[in-house]
Amino acid sequence: MTDSELYPVSRLSAVRQATAQAGLDALLLTPGPDLRYVSGYEALPLERLTCLVVPASGESFMMVPRLELPAAQASPASRLGLDFVAWDETDDPYAVVASRLGRVGTVGLADRMWAMASLRFRDAMPGTEQVLAGSVLRELRMRKSPVEVDALREAGAAIDAVHRLVPNFLKAGRTEREVGKDIHDAILAAGHATVDFVIVASGPNGASPHHEVSDRVIQPGEPVVVDIGGQFHSGYCSDSTRTYCVGEPPADFAEYYAVLQAAQDAACAAVRPGVSCESVDAAARDVIASAGFGQYFIHRTGHGIGIETHEEPYIVSGNAELLEPGFAFSVEPGVYLPGRHGARIEDIVVCTADGGERLNTTTRDLVIV
């Protein structure tokens, strides 16, 4: 997969058209996932303004600090035919953007834009309404192209390779932090550009879904939740959770793990075009609730994934949005017993023309090490 395939030149035109259709006059995209999605440029988030300006009509341009100009010109954004507007230390780049745009009614700001930049744009364009660029970009970003799905599949295969190594790292007497360091190094060795998170949650820490690592020593017979992911060199992300046990698991844990596995299978089986996001959530939740563990499933069933680990669509009650081919998201029900232990099983799933494809293929059975 090349940059030209992952970040095609045609995307800028699609964004401009979507901006016009949404009734916005322009998008202002500062460093972060929105900018990278549209241009392929992974710009440094600095106090100096870098901003891709996409007017609904007219030519797009990129404001860049002069010292960042070589990096911008060397990025995939150079293929877009943009005017790179370099600004010097004594310039006001916000005023330059406002001057070049002229009078505009509504602009979309990158969802991850710093408040500092948002307020500076507000001052430079008084009377201009600011909304989130996500209102325009979400429709494009949710529908992954076949090349984007391939990038997610590649990242998924790499994180699967790391999970296959986890039993070598998990030993009674080691701390979560020691195991986490080994996993961190393995994620990079598997081809990821960055490690976004490493959760090694042993024993009672497994009941905290976003526990990371600690100096707690792993004990014999304890379940351990391992949730790991990062950004691959393509810019697309991995995210997968498996649950392990150091020795034979407690009887009550084995009972609800079997329920959890059935719930995750049910949610994955529910994925197909035309099914609502909340229906997939319900497919997992109903199994867990029917078995008497509903109060211990305390988060949504999943989140979208792409150039961010968490993006739309969200697989949660109340989200009636219908799945379409190309939607990619996690399916990760969990059961968490406070003070005792917990478990989660997570795969990335892509909605296909007639169902769903799991991008993670390692065993979902409880792995006893």
Side-chain angles (χ1 to χ4, degrees), residues 209 281 285 296-302 315-316 332-336 343-344:
D281 177 88
R285 201 167 301 277
Y296 304 117
F297 180 11
I298 57 177
H299 55 71
R300 64 194 174 205
T301 293
I315 310 303
V316 64
E332 50 176 308
V335 175
Y336 310 96
R344 182 164 64 256

Side-chain angles (χ1 to χ4, degrees), residues 14 41 63 113 226 256 266 289 340 352:
Y41 181 27
M63 290 293 299
M113 182 182 287
V226 176
Y256 73 73
R340 297 169 66 190
T352 65

